[in-house]
Amino acid sequence: MKKEIIKFILNGEQVEVYVDPAKSLLHLLRNDFGLTGSKEGCGQGECGACTVLLDDLAVNSCLIPAGKVSGCSVVTIEALSRDGKPDFVQESFVEKGAVQCGFCSPGMIMSAHALLKQNPRPDAMEVRTAISGNLCRCTGYKQIEEAILLSAEKLNK
Ligand code: FES
Ligand code: FES
């Protein structure tokens, strides 16, 4: 296994790590940086539980080789709360009862952030499209859709 130094911005801070560039970004985040908010469901790009922002776009971190993030910005769910307080999207998920077991929630919330960065006023169909790669086995999606629409309302107040 050939290792190399990879430098990138992680949650706003410049970091560097000596790692196999073929290792997945998900395993890099969880195992090398201790950021376990991003979840591993399928490990194959099917469930979205591992979603993070890569240069502001939602990606399945289980499919991204660590070597590809060199020079990029990666944002994980851990970057959202401030002083232990949830951010406006996280709050909206709580207010709308969009979290049950919570396994999908970090990925859903990161997909919501990616959507709101590109489109601060999404309609319901655009929300559904944005989370179409995120699977939830608990909520039935309605509350998640409502939570993201509520987040957009808060953003535009
Ligand atoms: S763990 Fe990455 S898409 Fe399922
Ligand atoms: S809340 Fe359980 S998978 Fe979505």
Side-chain angles (χ1 to χ4, degrees):
M1 176 186 22
K2 180 177 74 76
K3 289 189 174 188
E4 61 184 58
I5 293 175
I6 295 166
K7 298 180 184 180
F8 64 106
I9 297 170
L10 176 56
N11 294 338
E13 291 192 6
Q14 182 74 49
V15 295
E16 68 176 64
V17 62
Y18 184 60
V19 70
D20 174 5
K23 185 176 197 169
S24 75
L25 173 59
L26 177 62
H27 289 168
L28 181 73
L29 294 170
R30 290 181 59 89
N31 302 336
D32 295 70
F33 289 97
L35 298 173
T36 55
S38 307
K39 303 302 181 203
E40 180 159 19
C42 64
Q44 298 177 354
E46 301 286 342
C47 73
C50 63
T51 304
V52 301
L53 302 188
L54 180 60
D55 288 343
D56 285 347
L57 295 178
V59 296
N60 291 327
S61 61
C62 68
L63 294 183
I64 306 285
K68 290 277 181 204
V69 306
S70 187
C72 297
S73 166
V74 174
V75 178
T76 71
I77 190 83
E78 284 87 354
L80 301 186
S81 64
R82 289 276 176 270
D83 301 325
K85 293 203 178 105
D87 85 336
F88 70 106
V89 177
Q90 292 171 312
E91 244 173 29
S92 299
F93 270 63
V94 173
E95 285 167 32
K96 289 292 180 181
V99 179
Q100 287 187 27
C101 80
F103 194 81
C104 72
S105 306
M108 289 284 186
I109 289 166
M110 297 318 286
S111 288
H113 270 283
L115 169 66
L116 295 174
K117 276 178 190 290
Q118 289 173 2
N119 177 5
R121 291 184 168 79
D123 61 25
M125 194 51 71
E126 289 168 328
V127 168
R128 283 178 213 171
T129 302
I131 58 168
S132 59
N134 294 85
L135 303 184
C136 176
R137 62 185 177 182
C138 306
T139 65
Y141 300 99
K142 189 67 191 157
Q143 298 95 322
I144 293 172
E145 180 186 312
E146 288 173 0
I148 298 173
L149 290 171
L150 176 61
S151 304
E153 268 176 44
K154 291 179 184 175
L155 190 60
N156 292 299
K157 259 190 191 159

